[in-house]
Amino acid sequence: MKRIAILGSTGSIGTQALDVIRANPESFELEVITAHSNAELLIQQALEFRPNTIVISREDLYEQVQQALQHEDIKVYTGSKALCSVVEMGTVDMVLTAMVGYAGLLPTIHAIKAGKQIALANKETLVVAGKLITDLAKQYGVNIYPVDSEHSAIFQCLVGEFHNPIEKIILTASGGPFRGKSAAELAQVTKAQALKHPNWDMGAKITIDSASLMNKGLEVIEAKWLFGLRNNQIEVVVHPQSIVHSLVQFEDGSIKAQLGLPDMKLPIQYALGYPERLKSDFPRFSFLDYPQLTFEQPDMKTFRNLQLAFDAMERGGNMACILNAANEVAVSAFLRDEVGFLQMSDILESCMAKVAYIANPSYEDYVTTDREARAYASALLNK
């Protein structure tokens, strides 16, 4: 039995992870679940799975959760410090980090320092502080198992190949709901249109990131750190059907790819269950249902966020932290109908040009950078 803590159990990844645990009671035991603000769903999950401990991040919701569970043998905590404490519990073997955005960084650091294996769905952790996180993982002997479908695909292709050098990896992107549209067309798109992803069912923030190709840009940076790659070893191709999840090319020219239907439960289950492939009843892919699989170059002139991510990766230092913070502010503003779709890229570009660059940042530098970039991006909204 592998004992699991899920940070962000009420979000899209968290709820699907609970589906996996529910279907595999002989393999997993749920020890900890946490949520930011969805108190009602957190309570329901606690009553069903009866974990040892739960955390509701928003302190104003603590009383509601505590009262609902007062007759249960479940510990209830609140606040950001509690998130960092529960991942260190001796009863936890693996931490699934499924929180959205920068907020996942500090709990992940605490989990690594406590020697917990990491199932990483929070890509921003490696985007913001990739060198810091990978250095800590090596220092504490912790494995980081990717949950993103693309990085899971790369990982699966590398099993049995760890002694063979990679020539390059190819990350696939669906292209989102606006693939092929011009900048003039993108200037008119609405929030409702951007939230309709053609293939994947995800949370609001990652869905907007997918529409702008920022999600793929974040995944490029994540891949660099997960697999120890040089910047020129990472390519992106648009694959509208989302069947080929990513590919690895080796130095002999051979390419391995991982294929499957677009269902996040498979990479979640692979990360939680590794090295075992647990039996599932997930829908099966058939080539006859997809007689054509197509591939094309991403349009990085129209979808500037992808190019900005490559630029941030090339610059290094704290630049990806600046990019991520500005993007979180921009996406939040877009979801509140305060900025247009193309203005999000303008905000990112301005922040990358103006916020102080640090070549070799410490953790404290990342905290300062995140705060400064958010402040600068927020100020741009008010101009």
Side-chain angles (χ1 to χ4, degrees), residues 17 41 65 265 268 303 332 381:
L41 182 54
V65 177
K265 285 196 285 292
I268 291 168
F303 294 87
S332 180
L381 298 176

Side-chain angles (χ1 to χ4, degrees), residues 205-222:
K205 196 266 184 183
I206 190 173
T207 303
I208 300 302
D209 281 345
S210 295
S212 71
L213 293 195
M214 174 49 72
N215 187 54
K216 202 54 50 181
L218 299 178
E219 289 175 358
V220 165
I221 300 171
E222 181 184 8

Side-chain angles (χ1 to χ4, degrees), residues 89 157 232 275 290 294 304 377:
M89 287 168 44
C157 289
N232 63 2
Y290 293 83
T294 60
R304 289 184 291 147

Side-chain angles (χ1 to χ4, degrees), residues 257-276:
Q258 188 265 332
L259 285 69
L261 293 171
D263 183 348
M264 279 304 302
K265 285 196 285 292
L266 197 153
I268 291 168
Q269 179 169 295
Y270 189 74
L272 295 182
Y274 184 84
E276 304 298 326

Side-chain angles (χ1 to χ4, degrees), residues 148-155 171-172 215-216 219 245-246:
D148 262 341
S149 62
E150 295 82 0
H151 303 88
S152 176
I154 299 296
F155 180 51
L171 298 175
T172 56
N215 187 54
K216 202 54 50 181
E219 289 175 358
H245 295 304
S246 279

Side-chain angles (χ1 to χ4, degrees), residues 225-243:
W225 296 111
L226 268 176
F227 304 113
L229 301 171
R230 299 186 304 275
N231 297 343
N232 63 2
Q233 289 181 290
I234 307 171
E235 292 183 8
V236 173
V237 298
V238 172
H239 168 49
Q241 296 81 22
S242 297
I243 295 299

Side-chain angles (χ1 to χ4, degrees), residues 316-377:
N318 67 334
M319 190 55 70
C321 181
I322 296 169
L323 173 81
N324 180 74
N327 182 63
E328 290 190 19
V329 172
V331 170
S332 180
F334 179 74
L335 288 169
R336 297 192 304 269
D337 298 311
E338 293 177 5
V339 296
F341 188 80
L342 292 179
Q343 287 175 276
M344 291 191 289
S345 299
D346 296 335
I347 292 170
L348 271 55
E349 196 165 20
S350 182
C351 287
M352 290 171 68
K354 297 296 185 181
V355 178
Y357 173 73
I358 302 170
N360 297 295
S362 64
Y363 171 74
E364 290 72 22
D365 291 327
Y366 287 126
V367 173
T368 301
T369 296
D370 180 78
R371 184 173 62 247
E372 291 179 354
R374 288 175 191 274
Y376 189 83

